[in-house]
Amino acid sequence: MRLFAPFLAILLLAPLQAQAPPLLAASAQVDDGPHVVWEGRKARVLRWRQGKPEETPLPASRLLALDGLPPLQLDPEPAPQQPAVFPLPAKIAAISDIHGNYAAMTTLLVNQGILAKDLTWAFGKGHLLVLGDTVDRGAQVTEIFWLLRSLERQARDAGGRVHMLLGNHEVMNMKGDIRYLNAKYRALPLTAPYLLGPDTEAGRWVRSHPVMVRLGDVLFVHGGVSPHLAEAFPTLEAVNAAARDALPAIKKTLLGGAGPLWYRGMVMDPLDSAAVVEASLRPYQARTVVVGHTTVKQVTAIRPGQVYLIDAGLSEGRPGELWLQTDGKRWRGLADGTRLPLD
């Protein structure tokens, strides 16, 4: 347990407490928002249009108006922790490492029938998984945040689900590491810890999500599962609970390369044989794992039936791909709507 305590302690590292700075003009003519900042049971709504700041109180109804999306009912209480284990649904779609590439993400989801053309949920009782790293690099992180928030609610109403997992870049942002932050967000008079701070709607929502999710016997995680992690935390509940209970003030150098947000051994290390992978997955009652984090040209069956790598270049401005499973068959979902068998 001691081996991974430092790593897991920073998974949900509490950043600097969000302050209420005067709302200043952006240093460039950017459009962004809304950003919702809670102050007790009331909240401020911040927006910038052509660099000019707008600040309004959240209405007493707590119904937030969103551009191009249905209004969203907000709750002054932090979001409850999201469940991480579900029966295997008939339809699954997974995407990873969006990194602010909103246009490519939505094109992909629409053309594959996950969303309708108006960006509403069209996947019925299916499950959509987002395997972390929605933030950094791209210029439309805010738009992705609100779309996923809206889709979570729409999917539940339809009997489906949207699962957001933590990636290493969400944790980096919460810690104030803004090396990969897009210039647009650097132009705003806010800091990265403020944008994902514990008193912001975005920060609360991100903190409510797990590190790993299992649907039936298929495990989803941003980086991978190392044998060391499986030995130290031999249940999915143990990994997610340790993340929830993480302590602040841990040095960033303790973020371990063998942890689930960074580990690449399943897709890059020849020592991770099929037997090693099987042993690593067994404690989590999984036979198959789907990971992102390591960028490749296309969704790839590293070990057909066992390990799938789905970071297909959205972070590089490419169209990206989906990993799909329908009635037990697995597919590459291309941006033009084409589906190609994986196994």
Side-chain angles (χ1 to χ4, degrees), residues 205-247:
W205 181 74
V206 167
R207 285 165 175 76
S208 74
H209 290 84
V211 173
M212 302 197 299
V213 166
R214 179 169 56 80
L215 307 183
D217 62 358
V218 184
L219 184 69
F220 298 85
V221 58
H222 179 69
V225 179
S226 70
H228 302 293
L229 180 72
E231 180 180 355
F233 295 91
T235 68
L236 186 146
E237 292 78 10
V239 174
N240 287 331
R244 287 195 301 271
D245 297 338
L247 299 173

Side-chain angles (χ1 to χ4, degrees), residues 91 109-110 112-126 151 154-155 158:
K91 299 185 297 182
L109 293 177
V110 168
Q112 284 294 334
I114 313 303
L115 304 184
K117 290 184 178 179
D118 63 355
L119 304 186
T120 56
W121 183 253
F123 206 39
K125 295 182 179 180
L151 292 174
Q154 294 177 48

Side-chain angles (χ1 to χ4, degrees), residues 5-6 9 23 28 51 58 130 152 168 176 199 216 226 280 305 334:
L23 193 60
L58 184 68
V130 181
E152 270 192 342
N168 58 299
D199 292 331
S226 70
S280 298
L334 278 58

Side-chain angles (χ1 to χ4, degrees), residues 107-160:
T107 296
L108 183 57
L109 293 177
V110 168
N111 288 346
Q112 284 294 334
I114 313 303
L115 304 184
K117 290 184 178 179
D118 63 355
L119 304 186
T120 56
W121 183 253
F123 206 39
K125 295 182 179 180
H127 287 222
L128 170 66
L129 295 104
V130 181
L131 271 58
D133 282 10
T134 56
V135 301
D136 281 341
R137 295 194 169 95
Q140 291 187 289
V141 173
T142 308
E143 290 87 343
I144 290 170
F145 164 70
W146 290 116
L147 177 60
L148 293 177
R149 283 293 309 274
S150 180
L151 292 174
E152 270 192 342
R153 189 157 299 179
Q154 294 177 48
R156 283 199 303 269
D157 290 344

